[in-house]
Amino acid sequence: MRTPYIGGNWKCNGTVESIKQLVQDLNQGPSTEGKVEVIVAPSSIHIGLVQSLNLRKDWKISAQNIVQEKNGGAFTGEISASMLKDLGIDSTLLGHSERRHVFGESNTVIAKKVKVSEEVGLTIIGCVGETLEERERGETNQVITSQLKDFNVTNWDKFVIAYEPVWAIGTGKTASPQQAQEAHKVLRDWLADNVNSEVAQKVRIIYGGSVNSANSDELIKQPDIDGFLVGGASLKSKDFLSIVNSGLKSVE
Ligand code: PGA
C-alpha cells in the first residue's frame, strides 16, 4: 500500500494577501498525518512567507524548480538546492512541462538538477508527459518512459513521478481515468523492467492535468494513480482540500 501524495503547484501566482488567506483556509482542513503526504509549492519569492504564516505541520513546502549547480553562484534569477536545504525545504518539482516547453529545459539539464537534488537530499517530484501531437502520433509510452529514464535517478526513495500530459495542463481537459491509468501502468512497468520490482511497487506515480474536486475521486480509484499534482485548483482552498479529501478517502 503506497501512501497517497498530493501536491499543490501554485506556479507564478499569488499576492501577500491572497497567500495569507489561502494558508489560513488550508490550515483549517482535516489532518492528513500518517495518511496522505501533502506538499504545496509556492513561487520561490513566497516560500519564506508561507513558512512565516505557519503552514500546518502535517504538510510540507516544496520548491517549483532549482538551478543545476548545487551551491548556485553566478546564476541570475535562480535558486539552489543548498538554499532550499538551508531554509528547511526538502523537496522540489523538476522537469515540469512549463520548464521544458516555455523555458526550453532539456533532459540533460533536468538530469543535472536531479543529481544535485540527490546530493543535497531533496525529494524530487519529477514530471513527465506527452504533448497532444505526440499522443496523436501514438508516441505517448515512448515519450514518457524516455523522460523517466533521462532523469537518471539513483535514489528512488526520494522520487515521486508526476505524469502530466501537456495537453491536460491548465486546459480543463483531464485525461480520463483509463487514459491516466494506462500511462501510469506503463511507467510502473518500466520501473519493474529497468530498476526492480520493489521500486516499481514503492514509487508513487501521481497524475496532473486539470485535476479538480469533481474528478479526483474517480482518478485516485485507479490502481496505479497514487495522488495528484494540482495547478489551478490548488489556489482555491475549498477545491484543494476536497482533492486532499479524495486521498484521505482512498486510504480509509
Ligand atoms: P493544472 O496544472 O492543474 O492547472 O492543469 C497542473 C500542473 O501543471 O502541475
Side-chain angles (χ1 to χ4, degrees):
M1 191 67 184
R2 294 175 291 269
T3 304
Y5 194 98
I6 298 180
N9 176 9
W10 296 355
K11 306 193 180 183
C12 190
N13 290 295
T15 62
V16 171
E17 248 347 279
S18 72
I19 286 173
K20 276 187 186 162
Q21 188 65 53
L22 184 56
V23 171
Q24 195 182 319
D25 295 343
L26 291 174
N27 281 355
Q28 305 305 311
S31 168
T32 58
E33 191 79 60
K35 292 181 263 185
V36 177
E37 270 184 69
V38 183
I39 57 115
V40 292
S43 79
S44 55
I45 204 167
H46 288 143
I47 286 180
L49 173 65
V50 177
Q51 287 179 312
S52 75
L53 292 169
N54 295 319
L55 178 74
R56 43 191 301 169
K57 291 286 167 278
D58 53 342
W59 293 14
K60 285 189 175 149
I61 302 169
S62 169
Q64 297 177 8
N65 187 35
I66 55 163
V67 73
Q68 59 269 32
E69 289 298 326
K70 182 164 74 180
N71 297 318
F75 298 98
T76 303
E78 297 288 329
I79 61 169
S80 74
S82 304
M83 287 173 181
L84 292 178
K85 230 13 199 191
D86 184 44
L87 277 168
I89 303 298
D90 61 12
S91 62
T92 185
L93 311 183
L94 285 181
H96 189 279
S97 77
E98 285 147 19
R99 299 303 318 173
R100 292 177 190 269
H101 298 288
V102 184
F103 298 97
E105 274 188 23
S106 65
N107 285 333
T108 313
V109 165
I110 296 165
K112 286 188 185 162
K113 296 183 177 195
V114 168
K115 184 164 182 282
V116 300
S117 300
E118 288 182 339
E119 283 169 7
V120 167
L122 297 175
T123 293
I124 298 161
I125 301 112
C127 309
V128 301
E130 80 288 1
T131 62
L132 184 59
E133 295 71 30
E134 289 164 340
R135 175 164 281 266
E136 285 170 348
R137 286 199 300 264
E139 296 169 3
T140 299
N141 298 355
Q142 192 269 322
V143 168
I144 62 178
T145 53
S146 79
Q147 286 172 337
L148 182 56
K149 173 173 179 283
D150 288 345
F151 283 126
N152 263 327
V153 176
T154 62
N155 184 2
W156 291 99
D157 288 338
K158 284 183 169 275
F159 201 90
V160 174
I161 301 169
Y163 169 63
E164 301 204 296
V166 179
W167 48 271
I169 295 179
T171 56
K173 219 164 131 187
T174 324
S176 69
Q178 293 69 30
Q179 280 174 321
Q181 166 57 28
E182 219 175 283
H184 284 225
K185 176 82 167 55
V186 165
L187 293 167
R188 204 175 299 287
D189 288 348
W190 185 90
L191 291 174
D193 295 343
N194 295 278
V195 189
N196 61 54
S197 58
E198 193 199 331
V199 164
Q201 278 318 304
K202 244 179 16 195
V203 170
R204 269 83 57 90
I205 307 179
I206 64 178
Y207 169 79
S210 299
V211 174
N212 59 43
S213 52
N215 57 32
S216 53
D217 273 348
E218 280 311 308
L219 285 162
I220 209 163
K221 278 187 192 145
Q222 299 299 313
D224 289 297
I225 300 185
D226 304 316
F228 303 112
L229 186 55
V230 187
S234 71
L235 295 164
K236 300 176 205 140
S237 57
K238 197 161 164 274
D239 293 27
F240 191 63
L241 286 171
S242 158
I243 294 165
V244 169
N245 199 42
S246 297
L248 286 170
K249 284 187 286 185
S250 76
V251 293
E252 263 171 10

